[in-house]
Amino acid sequence: MPSFRASLGVLDARPGVAPEAVLDTARAAVAAVRVVEDAFVDVEPLLRGDGIPRVVVRFLQPSESDAEEDAGAWRAAAAMADGVQAVAEPTGLRVHRRSGGRWLPLPAPEPDW
């Protein structure tokens, strides 16, 4: 099964939401539709001063054709974005596919992602 990584920038948690709940929500949203391998918050862009923190969830996609796998990965990422939107202000959904030891970005299937 191919491995994918969905990431989503987080501008701010909603009032009354603990920051760790954002990651838990992202992980749970993807786990509802795929097998999750890992989840973490990438704070490097914030520490460098050139970006915002991102929740990152790595997951497995059932094997199909490449196009079907990529589309399924975007659906899982959309589920993550929908879940996170309830607890935080998200931005910049991205999906990467693991290929030969590298993470390759997947173009968004819709221009407004």
Side-chain angles (χ1 to χ4, degrees):
M1 279 200 263
S3 183
F4 289 84
R5 187 171 68 185
S7 71
L8 188 63
V10 177
L11 298 173
D12 201 5
R14 303 266 183 232
V17 174
E20 58 272 9
V22 178
L23 178 60
D24 293 342
T25 300
R27 179 186 296 124
V30 176
V33 295
R34 299 291 183 269
V35 173
V36 171
E37 295 180 295
D38 192 16
F40 60 94
V41 176
D42 181 7
V43 295
E44 285 299 316
L46 182 65
L47 296 175
R48 288 191 312 262
D50 64 356
I52 58 174
R54 299 185 69 80
V55 292
V56 181
V57 179
R58 194 176 73 216
F59 59 94
L60 297 174
Q61 172 66 35
S63 296
E64 303 173 272
S65 71
D66 284 353
E68 290 169 327
E69 291 166 357
D70 293 352
W74 271 104
R75 285 191 297 277
M80 180 179 83
D82 287 345
V84 168
Q85 192 164 14
V87 297
E89 185 179 345
T91 186
L93 182 61
R94 298 178 188 161
V95 177
H96 290 77
R97 181 185 183 118
R98 186 81 170 174
S99 178
R102 296 179 48 202
W103 290 105
L104 303 176
L106 292 182
E110 300 175 27
D112 61 340
W113 288 57

